[in-house]
Amino acid sequence: MPLASNSSAQPAPGAAEIAALVEPTRVHRRAYTDRAIFDLEMERIFGRAWIFVAHASQIPQPNDLVRTRLGLHDVLATRDPEGLVHVVLNRCTHRGTTLCSVERANAASLVCPYHAWTFGLDGTLRSVPHRKSMPASFDMADPRLSLFRAPRVADYRGFIFASLAGDGPALEDFLGDMTDVLDNFIDRAPNGEVTQEGGAFRLEYRGNWKLHHENANDTMHPGFVHESSVNAAREDGRDYAEPVYDEHQAHVQMLSNGFSVREWQSLGLQGLANGHSYMDGFYTKGILSPDRDDPISRGYRDALEAARGREAAAGILAMDRFNNLVWPNLNINAQYQQIRVVQPVAPDRTIVRAMCFRLGGAPEGMFHRAVRFLTNLSSPASMIFADDAEIFEKVQAGLSDGRREWLDQSRGIDEAVGNGRIASAGTSELPIRGQYRAWLDHMTAAP
Ligand code: FES
Ligand SMILES: [Fe+2]
């Protein structure tokens, strides 16, 4: 069930009209403000592409379910008694009532709170109270009485994606080389298992969903947007030589936004097919290193080396990629076991759900660090995300004025293209341009 109306009074824009909104170095403000464009994004991007919906560890047992979103749809990711995963619409087929109001549950069936129609976890209608009062034509097996089910559901090593399109590229083809970071996310667990724990932060901002992705690999903004927390950390004269996991980590996280432009420029940006991108060299360049020499890190390295051998463990820990965007809705930071899931609500409204994972077989302190990192970066009280969200809202407010129609995205246009990738120096806006290439592909494709 859509959380926001997706009806538009305006006719859907045609392919030529959409194509005219994106030029190599600029984009038209309508891409952020226009209701008809947003509706088309929900249909052609969030209604067709592979969308991350849940992690397998959120539904480990038969009859587990987790409430999530697929585009504007309120859906349940379920594991049926045979262990198969389904993504079903959280909406009764009788009178439309929302079936499940909790975030997670274990239930043998889904019982509607209104008249108790009962569905299996695969969405099929199982029983209707006072069945004999229904007409003879009422056929329980009629698929139209079952819950709507996403036609394609697939997972990559536990990361579950769904697509509302009956056909299209396989999940692994869609992910391309982004499978590397998902592999690394899991390989960092000494026992090879990661579990999502501790719930999720829910953040909402009054701005377009694309603003979040454009910001994630934007290295020109931290020195300005995050100046206050950088300065607070610089002025903090306390000695964190004994790096306990909490205060020390908060301190270095704030400081890391204080790179000079030259330092940001020395990082690499990588743009991949389908709008995916990431920033590399972020950890090895500076102070935000997860591979510190302290008792927790040493205990973790020892556990990983014991499980994988010294060389393999070193290779796993050496992967240095920050803010990996699996366009259009997943952001991954493997070093601190973090993900963000971006959920559009309206042209000017977006929800971000941020969560972290436990590395199986790692010292408890590693999970505490993940929670701490999440809290510092992505909680409603974060000194970092709050600044970004304020900027997104200022952008959205500014775009409501149409006197200047175009937004510039030309920084670092001298990109090196090769091997299916686009590479550029750290201050480039190549991730934004790559996202718009994918956006155009989807938005101008024949319905
Ligand atoms: S609305 Fe669900 S049983 Fe009536
Ligand atoms: Fe930021």
Side-chain angles (χ1 to χ4, degrees), residues 92-97 99 111-119 129:
C92 178
T93 51
H94 177 218
R95 307 288 300 164
T97 308
L99 286 169
V111 183
C112 179
Y114 199 173
H115 313 96
W117 282 26
T118 299
F119 302 87

Side-chain angles (χ1 to χ4, degrees), residues 39-254:
D39 290 344
L40 215 56
E41 288 177 336
M42 295 307 104
E43 185 185 315
R44 296 191 178 171
I45 300 173
F46 284 82
R48 288 188 192 163
W50 284 106
I51 304 297
F52 175 77
V53 288
H55 187 263
S57 63
Q58 295 174 302
I59 46 171
Q61 301 299 330
N63 297 333
D64 278 348
L65 62 93
V66 62
R67 190 177 181 191
T68 179
R69 289 272 300 265
L70 178 51
L72 295 182
H73 303 285
D74 179 359
V75 297
L76 304 170
T78 67
R79 189 178 294 280
D80 72 18
E82 280 72 51
L84 289 176
V85 173
H86 308 278
V87 174
V88 297
L89 205 57
N90 186 18
R91 174 198 187 280
C92 178
T93 51
H94 177 218
R95 307 288 300 164
T97 308
T98 296
L99 286 169
C100 176
S101 301
V102 297
E103 293 290 310
R104 281 167 82 161
N106 181 275
S109 55
L110 297 162
V111 183
C112 179
Y114 199 173
H115 313 96
W117 282 26
T118 299
F119 302 87
L121 288 223
D122 61 356
T124 53
L125 181 60
R126 295 279 162 81
S127 71
V128 174
H130 207 249
R131 177 74 199 282
K132 63 185 178 199
S133 62
M134 304 302 279
S137 59
F138 184 83
D139 177 9
M140 298 265 294
D142 184 343
R144 288 170 299 184
L145 294 175
S146 292
L147 304 182
F148 177 83
R149 209 162 73 180
R152 289 193 302 159
V153 177
D155 84 286
Y156 184 80
R157 298 187 67 187
F159 286 81
I160 303 167
F161 293 74
S163 168
L164 288 170
D167 53 34
L171 176 60
E172 283 199 37
D173 294 336
F174 168 77
L175 292 170
D177 287 349
M178 294 308 279
T179 54
D180 294 353
V181 75
L182 292 170
D183 288 337
N184 188 249
F185 196 101
I186 298 153
D187 292 346
R188 283 174 184 265
N191 74 0
E193 279 180 26
V194 295
T195 49
Q196 200 280 311
E197 287 186 29
F201 286 121
R202 179 188 183 281
L203 307 131
E204 188 170 346
Y205 63 86
R206 287 167 297 180
N208 191 267
W209 63 276
K210 297 186 289 297
L211 297 174
H212 178 278
H213 298 326
E214 294 169 6
N215 171 271
N217 290 154
D218 176 329
T219 65
M220 283 305 292
H221 83 277
F224 309 112
V225 172
H226 304 300
E227 187 180 17
S228 60
S229 57
V230 170
N231 287 344
R234 283 179 178 159
E235 287 162 16
D236 178 358
R238 278 175 290 179
D239 178 12
Y240 292 99
E242 191 59 48
V244 291
Y245 54 77
D246 42 18
E247 286 84 358
H248 171 78
Q249 185 167 305
H251 189 240
V252 296
Q253 260 182 285
M254 302 305 152

Side-chain angles (χ1 to χ4, degrees), residues 215-216 218 221-222 225-226 257 323 340 377 384-385 387-389 392:
N215 171 271
D218 176 329
H221 83 277
V225 172
H226 304 300
N257 278 321
N323 277 357
R340 280 191 193 178
L377 184 64
I384 300 173
F385 186 87
D387 288 336
D388 290 314
F392 300 161

